[in-house]
Amino acid sequence: MAEHKRELMAETNGTVVEKMLVDQSLATWLQLYFHEGREAKRPADNVQISEHRLKKIESAFNRHMKSLNALASMKSVNFTKRMVEAMKAVTQDVDDDQSESASSPEDQPRHNRLRDSFRRAFDLAPMN
């Protein structure tokens, strides 16, 4: 189990969310094999009990597949890399603005990008 966890963690970026998803996938793996092992060692005598156990196995399998899917989605998104790139872009914009304003503050008109972007929000909308 520990080896399986190390293998899954080696494939991630080590973020907290990915660690939680690895733990969830291991927990659902244990649940699935618990239910399958119980049915294999002591099969139910009653058809209704075996149907109930089959539903338990199927729901454990579905949970396990969803947890693996979430982990794979997180890996494909590469959330950490995108966040680093976004932070670099923001700081680069700030650095560029500071360097432009430091060179000639009188030449650059002072404007707010957000106000310009959302200016239409204050326009009256037709009520027809």
Side-chain angles (χ1 to χ4, degrees):
M1 176 95 163
E3 181 64 30
H4 188 58
K5 183 175 182 174
R6 277 192 290 275
E7 289 174 3
L8 286 174
M9 287 302 295
E11 296 175 7
T12 65
N13 292 321
T15 63
V16 175
V17 175
E18 288 174 328
K19 289 177 185 177
M20 291 171 56
L21 289 172
V22 166
D23 290 340
Q24 181 184 13
S25 67
L26 291 174
T28 55
W29 182 78
L30 283 174
Q31 290 172 1
L32 175 63
Y33 283 99
F34 167 78
H35 289 295
E36 286 182 348
R38 182 181 62 180
E39 189 61 28
K41 289 179 183 175
R42 292 179 292 144
D45 297 334
N46 191 343
V47 172
Q48 293 163 336
I49 293 174
S50 63
E51 286 177 355
H52 175 71
R53 288 184 179 178
L54 177 63
K55 286 181 183 178
K56 289 285 195 180
I57 291 171
E58 288 174 347
S59 65
F61 175 77
N62 289 334
R63 281 193 305 273
H64 183 60
M65 286 293 110
K66 287 179 182 179
S67 67
L68 289 178
N69 189 20
L71 184 60
S73 297
M74 195 68 171
K75 288 179 191 177
S76 68
V77 167
N78 203 354
F79 182 72
T80 306
K81 184 177 179 182
R82 287 190 181 187
M83 285 302 293
V84 169
E85 290 172 358
M87 291 303 292
K88 283 182 182 179
V90 168
T91 56
Q92 190 176 29
D93 288 344
V94 170
D95 292 340
D96 292 344
D97 290 343
Q98 288 176 355
S99 64
E100 289 175 3
S101 64
S103 62
S104 57
E106 293 82 21
D107 295 342
Q108 298 292 330
R110 308 262 313 155
H111 62 77
N112 186 343
R113 290 183 294 161
L114 291 176
R115 186 181 56 211
D116 293 343
S117 298
F118 293 104
R119 185 171 303 229
R120 293 181 299 153
F122 299 109
D123 295 341
L124 295 176
M127 301 299 284
N128 297 4

